[in-house]
């Protein structure tokens, strides 16, 4: 997959994302911008909430958003504690994937991967995506099957006393709404006048600090999943240069190297937009 193909396909995914937030659907109060030196201090520069308004009725009624929300209460945030997948949670995963794969965004990515010969069929790609994102592995040295790429990126985890992952704006909004997240400051607000935008921020989840976290703000769940999967397949473990609405963006992915699925395939370890 060439650099030019990445730029072109990311723009196609961007154009296909009809479920993303529109102007006015999300209103933020960013308050204080910190320097990189200030970011790690964990000081609260923001007395007000980050999310002043989210058009829940318009956005969260869409199948991929409602599917993501159904998944967010399935995870044990502390590493070292096993994830137990119930039959109901398995159904919720399948319902989410069915919703995602019925969108133009994922159809665009699927067509590209099949044309490149990466998969023999759409069903094979869907099965592999489920394994790479939802397959369980251990972030606790084998003590427990306590993590997955999806949990790390879209839900977030607590590891060694700090927030790890947590790169979904929907999860941040839900945590702040429930009183679990205290927004501290931001360090980067992207150049995009519409959604999705890139936001780098600092926050505490309960008492646990995230000194720099970044999200695609206002994107749909299927867009996040498709863009991160594209970069994970095309540029694993390094910067992936993409284009969103004519603006350059960079995605960093990491693959899990301590355990595998299938024939030596690697799970997703992390994926997020990189801020300057």
């Amino acid at each position: 997959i060439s650099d030019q193909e990445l730029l072109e396909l990311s723009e196609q995914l961007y154009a296909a994302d009809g479920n993303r937030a529109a102007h006015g659907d999300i209103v933020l109060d960013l308050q204080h911008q910190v320097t990189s030196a200030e970011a790690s201090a964990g000081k609260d520069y923001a007395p007000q909430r980050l999310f002043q308004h989210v058009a829940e009725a318009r956005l969260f009624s869409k199948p991929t958003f409602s599917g993501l929300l159904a998944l967010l209460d399935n995870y044990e945030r502390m590493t070292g504690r096993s994830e137990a997948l119930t039959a109901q949670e398995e159904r919720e995963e399948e319902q989410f994937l069915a919703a995602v794969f019925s969108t133009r965004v994922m159809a665009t990515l699927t067509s590209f991967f099949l044309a490149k010969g990466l998969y023999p069929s759409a069903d094979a790609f869907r099965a592999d995506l489920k394994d790479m994102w939802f397959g369980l592995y251990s972030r606790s040295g084998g003590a427990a099957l306590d993590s997955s790429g999806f949990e790390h990126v879209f839900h977030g985890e607590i590891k060694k006393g700090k927030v790890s992952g947590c790169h979904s704006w929907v999860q941040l909004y839900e945590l702040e709404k429930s009183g679990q997240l205290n927004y501290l400051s931001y360090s980067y607000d992207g150049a995009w006048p519409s959604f999705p935008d890139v936001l780098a921020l600092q926050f505490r989840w309960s008492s646990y600090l995230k000194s720099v976290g970044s999200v695609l703000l206002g994107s749909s769940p299927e867009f996040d999943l498709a863009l991160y999967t594209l970069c994970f397949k095309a540029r694993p473990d390094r910067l992936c240069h993409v284009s969103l609405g004519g603006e350059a963006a960079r995605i960093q992915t990491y693959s899990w190297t301590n355990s595998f699925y299938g024939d030596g395939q690697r799970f997703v370890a992390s994926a997020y937009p990189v801020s300057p």
Side-chain angles (χ1 to χ4, degrees):
I1 300 175
S2 70
D3 291 348
Q4 185 61 34
E5 284 174 320
L6 281 174
L7 296 176
E8 292 173 357
L9 184 63
S10 55
E11 284 290 2
Q12 291 170 21
L13 297 175
Y14 177 88
D17 190 13
N19 285 337
R20 67 172 180 248
H23 180 73
D25 282 349
I26 302 172
V27 179
L28 301 183
D29 186 358
L30 291 174
Q31 301 165 77
H32 183 70
Q33 184 173 13
V34 294
T35 64
S36 57
E38 291 175 308
S40 59
K43 184 176 178 181
D44 191 351
Y45 291 100
Q48 306 303 319
R49 285 190 167 198
L50 172 63
F51 290 95
Q52 297 297 300
H53 169 73
V54 170
E56 285 194 37
R58 199 185 89 78
L59 293 172
F60 292 175
S61 60
K62 296 176 179 180
T64 54
F65 279 99
S66 61
L68 173 60
L69 290 167
L71 291 172
L72 290 180
D73 65 357
N74 291 357
Y75 301 107
E76 167 56 65
R77 69 178 184 175
M78 306 299 292
T79 58
R81 299 180 186 174
S82 292
E83 295 292 346
L85 186 65
T86 68
Q88 174 62 28
E89 290 169 352
E90 175 77 24
R91 283 193 295 273
E92 289 171 355
E93 285 183 6
E94 285 298 326
Q95 288 165 357
F96 174 71
L97 287 171
V100 162
F101 273 86
S102 68
T103 64
R104 283 181 57 212
V105 170
M106 198 55 80
T108 300
L109 182 63
T110 301
S111 295
F112 177 79
F113 278 172
L114 295 187
K116 296 296 288 186
L118 293 180
Y119 295 95
S121 68
D123 286 345
F125 169 46
R126 175 176 165 164
D128 189 48
L129 182 142
K130 183 177 181 182
D131 283 338
M132 76 173 75
W133 280 100
F134 288 93
L136 292 172
Y137 52 82
S138 177
R139 286 187 192 262
S140 52
L145 287 175
D146 55 3
S147 187
S148 68
F150 191 87
E151 176 186 0
H152 181 84
V153 173
F154 287 86
H155 180 272
E157 302 172 294
I158 308 299
K159 183 179 180 182
K160 297 181 179 178
K162 295 182 179 180
V163 178
S164 181
C166 201
H167 299 292
S168 165
W169 75 265
V170 175
Q171 170 71 334
L172 295 182
Y173 171 68
E174 289 293 307
L175 289 174
E176 187 176 58
K177 186 173 70 169
S178 66
Q180 298 179 65
L181 182 142
N182 178 24
Y183 168 65
L184 304 177
S185 58
Y186 78 102
S187 49
Y188 175 74
D189 179 25
W192 290 265
S194 59
F195 299 116
D197 197 0
V198 176
L199 179 68
L201 69 162
Q202 294 69 47
F203 61 88
R204 288 188 186 275
W205 182 356
S206 302
S207 60
Y208 304 102
L209 177 66
K210 181 74 173 182
S211 58
V212 181
S214 56
V215 298
L216 291 167
L217 180 71
S219 52
S220 69
E222 63 267 28
F223 181 80
D224 287 4
L225 195 62
L227 187 65
Y228 293 156
T229 300
L230 170 63
C231 286
F232 183 70
K233 294 294 289 183
R235 301 289 185 271
D237 303 296
R238 53 197 170 113
L239 283 177
C240 176
H241 295 271
V242 298
S243 182
L244 307 178
E247 293 282 351
R250 297 175 298 160
I251 305 297
Q252 177 72 52
T253 64
Y254 290 102
S255 52
W256 189 251
T257 58
N258 296 337
S259 57
F260 306 89
Y261 70 90
D263 185 19
Q265 297 295 300
R266 290 184 171 182
F267 298 105
V268 174
S270 191
Y272 53 87
V274 174
S275 59

